[in-house]
Amino acid sequence: MNLKTLRQDLPAGLVVFLVALPLCLGIAQASGLPPFVGLLTGVIGGLVVTSCSPSRFAVSGPAAGLVTIVIASIASLGSFSAFLLALVLAGIIQIGLGMLRAGRFISLVPGSVIKGMLAAIGILLIMQQIPVALGASELSALFSGEFSFSASATGVAAVGLLILWLWTTPVIKKVKALSWIPGPLIAVLVGGLATVFGDRLQPEMIANLPRISLPKFDSISALTAELESPDWQAWRNPSVYVVAVTLALVASLETLLSQQALNKLRPQNPPPSPNKEMLAQGIGNTLAGFLGALPITAVIVRSSVNVSVGAQSKLSILLHGVLLLICGLWFSELLNVIPLASLAAVLLYTGYKLATPRLFIEQIRMGAQQFVPFIITIIGIIAFGMLAGIGLGIAAQILYSIYKSHRNALQLTRYEDHYVLRLQQNLTFMNNPRLQNLLDEIPENSVVIVDHDNVDYLDPDVKAVLKEFGEKAPRRGIRLNQWPVAV
């Protein structure tokens, strides 16, 4: 580190902090946990994971993509403390995967399944945050007789969404001073100002506007009292291990995908090792489970911001972690004026970006081979959960690829009384039905030429079909040329 990188890393760290702050608070709130848990997760990701990570630019912390898993896992395990045990185990699994050098297998996950996973996360995030934007606590409350619509919450959320949209328009981007300020921060600031001035001008309306509730720490003992410990007795519950595997796989997947995307924005030579990144994330998640935090992943949104504002080293990410720590310890009263509806607006917009209609249109245009696994992944995740949905998507992609490969393995072309049978690849017994159908199309008194230059292996069952046809060919007046088996 020299003076030049310091001048670039300090402002970059401040901008990343301003982007991460509302997201950390909002993701914790969306997970049904105290906002302090989100800040704690950001601090662990910003300080511990960054120190162990091989990447100079990847920012780790709580991820919106894991909100749905956290909610479902806490519900299935019965408590947050049992979930923390699963998170500790997930971190250990990630460490093991890193030591086994499993990071290279990320390239085996089909792109259609990855896009489907992100879109499903976006849809679920929108479904979860719509009630908060309307003043309810959860989706079921909207359809209960006890729900009362909150005009103040809806107004704050609508203004927040409008600000986030404006920050994407050319009008704002042309103003350099405004383009450097993150849109989510402005949305949250406006929501905070609404509560401050609303308390004075319209106290009856603001009284029904739910806000962040961060504890105030007067001592180290007060801080440690807020930290929740894992429930070690939950190891008897088999569901803990299912949750642990799900967290480890999905968090690793999101981390490595973020690293791939970040390498395209800012290449590093040599590129960061995915196995070392898995180790770093595993250490972070193990510690997060011990201290009572959320799952940690590398997050592409914060990482891309870090790169775009000119970060040169890890110092910018470490600075953002320190600022989150300071903010949580000494500025809790300031953060407590932020309405939950503002955070809901940030998360609704995040969900929309993950599941934008343009993504669906692009997948449709790419054909059924991409769209079918994509949509099956989405439906599977929403209906059955993250791990099952990803498994269904991968299975659909494998089956479709096998089908297309099977169809293209054999081709029969006619040129007057000549038939050219092209064997495009090695054939197994699974190709026998199509091979038999094509051979049955060849009439008597024909010439059959077999193009098998690309074939290194023919299954014995395939050879048997070809040999049988070859033995009957003379009686039907069929002449064979370049026949691949002896007759």
Side-chain angles (χ1 to χ4, degrees):
M1 182 184 71
N2 54 42
L3 187 59
K4 182 179 179 181
T5 63
L6 187 64
R7 287 202 305 266
Q8 292 173 297
D9 285 332
L10 289 179
L14 178 60
V15 173
V16 173
F17 158 72
L18 295 176
V19 172
L21 177 62
L23 290 174
C24 289
L25 297 173
I27 290 168
Q29 189 66 43
S31 302
L33 298 169
F36 168 73
V37 174
L39 286 178
L40 175 62
T41 310
V43 171
I44 296 171
L47 298 180
V48 178
V49 176
T50 300
S51 301
C52 302
S53 172
S55 175
R56 298 198 306 270
F57 308 115
V59 183
S60 297
L66 293 177
V67 167
T68 55
I69 297 178
V70 172
I71 293 174
S73 300
I74 293 175
S76 66
L77 297 177
S79 68
F80 180 50
S81 57
F83 171 80
L84 292 177
L85 175 59
L87 182 54
V88 171
L89 295 174
I92 294 171
I93 292 172
Q94 284 185 297
I95 293 172
L97 290 173
M99 295 177 68
L100 292 172
R101 315 186 86 173
R104 54 189 168 176
F105 295 115
I106 184 65
S107 58
L108 294 177
V109 181
S112 58
V113 174
I114 293 168
K115 292 175 182 177
M117 180 191 75
L118 296 175
I121 289 168
I123 293 170
L124 289 170
L125 205 54
I126 291 170
M127 291 169 60
Q128 291 163 358
Q129 293 307 305
I130 285 176
V132 180
L134 298 177
S137 57
E138 55 186 17
L139 192 61
S140 59
L142 294 179
F143 306 102
S144 65
E146 301 177 357
F147 170 68
S148 58
F149 175 77
S150 173
S152 55
T154 304
V156 167
V159 171
L161 287 171
L162 178 62
I163 290 171
L164 291 167
W165 172 75
L166 284 173
W167 244 250
T168 65
T169 60
V171 176
I172 297 295
K173 290 181 177 180
K174 287 179 181 177
V175 183
K176 190 172 182 180
L178 292 177
S179 65
W180 279 74
I181 305 174
L185 179 67
I186 299 299
V188 168
L189 285 176
V190 170
L193 291 174
T195 59
V196 171
F197 290 102
D199 278 336
R200 301 174 184 175
L201 302 177
Q202 295 287 338
E204 63 279 358
M205 287 187 65
I206 300 302
N208 296 323
L209 183 63
R211 309 176 198 181
I212 283 175
S213 178
L214 279 172
K216 185 177 180 180
F217 303 113
D218 299 321
S219 62
I220 295 296
S221 59
L223 172 62
T224 55
E226 288 293 324
L227 303 178
E228 189 160 350
S229 301
D231 179 8
W232 302 108
Q233 300 302 316
W235 68 270
R236 300 184 182 90
N237 185 352
S239 299
V240 167
Y241 304 98
V242 176
V243 171
V245 172
T246 303
L247 286 172
L249 293 180
V250 176
S252 299
L253 184 65
E254 186 163 344
T255 291
L256 296 179
L257 291 175
S258 297
Q259 191 180 69
Q260 283 186 340
L262 186 60
N263 286 340
K264 294 178 182 178
L265 294 174
R266 184 73 173 272
Q268 296 183 55
N269 291 311
S273 165
N275 301 311
K276 291 181 179 179
E277 185 65 39
M278 295 256 282
L279 280 170
Q281 298 292 329
I283 293 170
N285 277 317
T286 303
L287 182 60
F290 275 112
L291 296 181
L294 286 164
I296 294 171
T297 73
V299 189
I300 188 58
V301 174
R302 278 159 262 181
S303 302
S304 60
V305 168
N306 188 40
V307 166
S308 65
V309 293
Q312 299 297 312
S313 71
K314 290 183 179 182
L315 180 63
S316 62
I317 312 172
L318 294 170
L319 175 63
H320 118 277
V322 171
L323 291 174
L324 286 175
L325 178 62
I326 292 172
C327 206
L329 291 178
W330 291 293
F331 294 96
S332 57
E333 291 184 3
L334 183 62
L335 296 180
N336 284 343
V337 303
I338 299 174
L340 300 184
S342 291
L343 301 179
V346 173
L347 293 168
L348 281 169
Y349 191 71
T350 302
Y352 173 78
K353 288 194 295 183
L354 289 172
T356 176
R358 183 185 300 175
L359 175 62
F360 287 80
I361 294 171
E362 289 175 353
Q363 292 300 113
I364 292 173
R365 287 176 177 172
M366 293 176 72
Q369 188 169 358
Q370 290 292 310
F371 182 71
V372 171
F374 169 77
I375 203 70
I376 286 177
T377 302
I378 294 174
I379 295 171
I381 289 174
I382 294 174
F384 306 111
M386 186 67 67
L387 204 57
I390 292 173
L392 287 172
I394 292 175
Q397 183 70 73
I398 290 173
L399 290 174
Y400 206 98
S401 298
I402 290 174
Y403 169 75
K404 294 298 288 184
S405 175
H406 182 78
R407 293 289 299 175
N408 296 329
L410 297 159
Q411 288 184 351
L412 182 66
T413 308
R414 178 183 178 182
Y415 301 93
E416 297 180 352
D417 63 340
H418 285 62
Y419 288 80
V420 178
L421 178 63
R422 292 185 174 88
L423 311 185
Q424 310 277 33
Q425 62 188 47
N426 297 338
L427 303 182
T428 68
F429 68 94
M430 295 180 65
N431 299 102
N432 269 355
R434 178 161 173 77
L435 174 62
Q436 190 66 64
N437 289 337
L438 293 178
L439 292 176
D440 290 344
E441 293 178 15
I442 300 173
E444 296 180 352
N445 303 314
S446 303
V447 177
V448 180
I449 304 170
V450 180
D451 178 4
H452 55 90
D453 293 342
N454 296 324
V455 176
D456 296 320
Y457 172 77
L458 291 177
D459 192 278
D461 291 323
V462 174
K463 289 181 178 180
V465 172
L466 291 170
K467 184 175 182 179
E468 181 182 0
F469 181 88
E471 290 173 347
K472 295 178 180 180
R475 297 196 296 269
R476 299 176 58 198
I478 296 176
R479 288 178 292 162
L480 304 178
N481 192 348
Q482 300 180 29
W483 202 245
V485 296
V487 179

